[in-house]
Amino acid sequence: MSAVSARLGRMSSMAQFWHALPREGRWLLSTVAIQTLGRGLTLPFTIIYLHEVRHFDLGLSGALMSIIALTGLLVTAPGGTLIDRFGARPVLLVGLASMIAGCAILAFATEPGIAAIALVLMGVNFGVSWPGINALIATVAHGDVRQQYFGVNFALVNLGIGVGGIIGGFFVDVQRPETFTAIFLIDAASGLIPVALLLGPLRHVRTQGEADVSGEGSGGGYRAILRQPAVLWLTLLTFLAVFIGYGQMEAGFPAFARQVSEVSTRVIGFSFAVNTAVIVLFQFAVLKRLTGRRRTRAMQVMAVVWAASWLVLGATGLLPDSLAAAIGVLAFMGVFAFGETLLQPAVPAVYNDLATDRNRGRYNAVNSGAFQAGAITGPFAAGLLLDAGLDGLYIAIMVAGCAGICVLASVLERRIPANVNGVTAEEPAID
């Protein structure tokens, strides 16, 4: 009976959350999983495609993967300013057009230079999509619903990516390059879905504040934003979390699993399905536990969970090409995913609670910039370390980074107001 009651409680909470959203918020959320299906087809296999299909060496492949984030980093700051001035819609439409072109080019790239051009185009969208989408979410959702929205959106993104990863794991074959061509073309086609949304149901959503239509207004520029100690510590925390987390998902983790653990591409595809299943099953329950509690404490718990996951992955290298290694790779992704359910609702909510409508695009651009920086250095460092056979050092750096997050979260907690840290008067923090 208790399990049934808990399930009914989750369904009731989901229904309340859905009804609290405006029409635009429901449109934005309802197509997320479908939009990200194409991304799921390619995300686990891009570095494998570059290294094992196009035969670029592993170090070069890691460097090429970093181009996406490097380009994103370069366009994020001007993208945030444009979002505050003209709104998120036109900026997102330009980014989506660039992504569609980049995926189509990468599908046929046989030379590093062509692949680099494609990855630059994909990076343009990577740079503007984060602040753009977050600005849209913050515009249509407020209060506790905003934190819930970030968490549910993250779960749906992972649902699409996970399903795509399963399909890709069965479909792609390094001996058949045309299978990789197909998944990149499907990824390009999936970009047409958000284009249709932005030109249709979301065409009237206005993200920019009135004071920024003709200039900076009272929103303040990047210099004023970055002068705030809370923003600096939060940005450093975001960078480190991405470096040891998401920066490894497209390069370090698949490369370690293939080169050190010696598991198949199918196991890697299934690992992303495990990641998705854990997030989808636990995200809403975690959101309920986070409501009214300190977000910085959630970040610290996440760091401990991630440290455990990296130790599990490191252990798989001791038994390469075995059932135990395959199980360990799947377990790594499951434990890592639980940590993600703690991080993803918290960090963007803190940024957007610090921001106003006049500078929301720039605050989210700072968040995105930290993400890009971690995504640049993460794959590059992983490629160098693993190409040199420094498997143990690679795992040690990941675990040390988790300890660093705990320290940064503790510092951040003393520098942000209680309401920005998620503590509400109605439901005080339980530590």
Side-chain angles (χ1 to χ4, degrees):
M1 288 295 292
S2 60
V4 174
S5 299
R7 189 177 299 111
L8 291 174
R10 288 195 295 270
M11 292 174 63
S12 175
S13 298
M14 282 292 292
Q16 292 173 3
F17 165 72
W18 183 256
H19 289 303
L21 293 175
R23 182 178 65 88
E24 293 82 2
R26 296 175 189 174
W27 270 111
L28 188 61
L29 198 61
S30 62
T31 59
V32 168
I34 302 173
Q35 294 176 33
T36 54
L37 180 65
R39 183 62 177 142
L41 286 171
T42 61
L43 187 149
F45 308 112
T46 303
I47 194 166
I48 295 172
Y49 168 69
L50 296 173
H51 180 50
E52 298 189 37
V53 177
R54 297 310 183 191
H55 306 297
F56 308 153
D57 69 57
L58 190 57
L60 175 60
S61 298
L64 285 171
M65 292 293 294
S66 296
I67 287 177
I68 298 177
L70 178 60
T71 304
L73 182 62
L74 293 175
V75 304
T76 290
T81 300
L82 291 172
I83 288 168
D84 283 334
R85 182 165 297 184
F86 302 109
R89 286 182 58 258
V91 177
L92 285 171
L93 286 169
V94 172
L96 287 165
S98 181
M99 183 275 290
I100 291 169
C103 288
I105 293 171
L106 189 60
F108 301 98
T110 57
E111 299 293 333
I114 302 299
I117 293 171
L119 293 167
V120 166
L121 291 171
M122 295 167 68
V124 171
N125 181 63
F126 192 41
V128 301
S129 62
W130 185 290
I133 292 296
N134 280 2
L136 283 175
I137 291 173
T139 299
V140 301
H142 305 277
D144 289 338
V145 174
R146 179 181 290 168
Q147 178 171 284
Q148 291 179 329
Y149 197 118
F150 280 121
V152 174
N153 181 75
F154 175 67
L156 292 175
V157 166
N158 277 270
L159 177 62
I161 289 175
V163 172
I166 294 174
I167 296 171
F170 278 106
F171 180 69
V172 297
D173 184 347
V174 295
Q175 304 302 323
R176 296 168 57 216
E178 66 273 12
T179 60
F180 286 86
T181 298
I183 62 173
F184 283 108
L185 291 177
I186 293 172
D187 193 7
S190 68
L192 298 174
I193 297 173
V195 168
L197 275 180
L198 292 169
L199 294 176
L202 302 181
R203 66 186 183 277
H204 298 305
V205 176
R206 179 187 178 87
T207 60
Q208 68 272 38
E210 292 292 343
D212 275 349
V213 173
S214 59
E216 294 292 325
S218 60
Y222 285 109
R223 185 177 299 177
I225 292 171
L226 291 171
R227 280 199 189 114
Q228 301 177 53
V231 175
L232 288 175
W233 287 108
L234 180 59
T235 300
L236 183 57
L237 187 152
T238 303
F239 163 78
L240 186 57
V242 174
F243 178 88
I244 66 168
Y246 301 108
Q248 305 305 321
M249 290 303 100
E250 293 189 56
F253 161 66
F256 189 99
R258 284 287 286 169
Q259 306 298 320
V260 182
S261 308
E262 297 182 15
V263 302
S264 67
T265 55
R266 182 169 297 182
V267 170
I268 295 173
F270 267 117
S271 73
F272 279 84
V274 171
N275 180 281
T276 296
V278 170
I279 290 170
V280 171
L281 289 173
F282 288 99
Q283 182 67 86
F284 207 83
V286 169
L287 285 171
K288 289 182 66 177
R289 294 291 298 171
L290 285 178
T291 300
R293 292 169 168 82
R294 289 184 177 89
R295 293 162 178 166
T296 49
R297 303 294 174 88
M299 298 173 194
Q300 291 176 318
V301 174
M302 177 278 298
V304 173
V305 172
W306 275 8
S309 72
W310 283 113
L311 291 173
V312 170
L313 183 64
T316 65
L318 303 176
L319 297 168
D321 193 22
S322 66
L323 177 61
I327 293 173
V329 167
L330 298 176
F332 160 78
M333 269 300 216
V335 178
F336 184 90
F338 182 73
E340 291 180 82
T341 65
L342 294 160
L343 179 71
Q344 280 298 328
V347 170
V350 172
Y351 274 105
N352 280 280
D353 284 353
L354 286 170
T356 68
D357 288 340
R358 296 189 299 274
N359 56 23
R360 195 172 304 285
R362 279 160 286 179
Y363 265 85
N364 281 295
V366 170
N367 182 13
S368 179
F371 192 99
Q372 317 300 350
I376 292 167
T377 53
F380 187 70
L384 291 178
L385 290 168
L386 296 176
D387 201 33
L390 301 174
D391 315 327
L393 179 60
Y394 172 74
I395 297 296
I397 290 173
M398 298 302 109
V399 174
C402 294
I405 289 175
C406 287
V407 174
L408 291 172
S410 178
V411 175
L412 178 64
E413 183 172 311
R414 298 193 295 269
R415 286 166 170 79
I416 56 176
N419 65 306
V420 172
N421 203 13
V423 180
T424 61
E426 293 78 10
E427 188 175 351
I430 300 176
D431 300 319

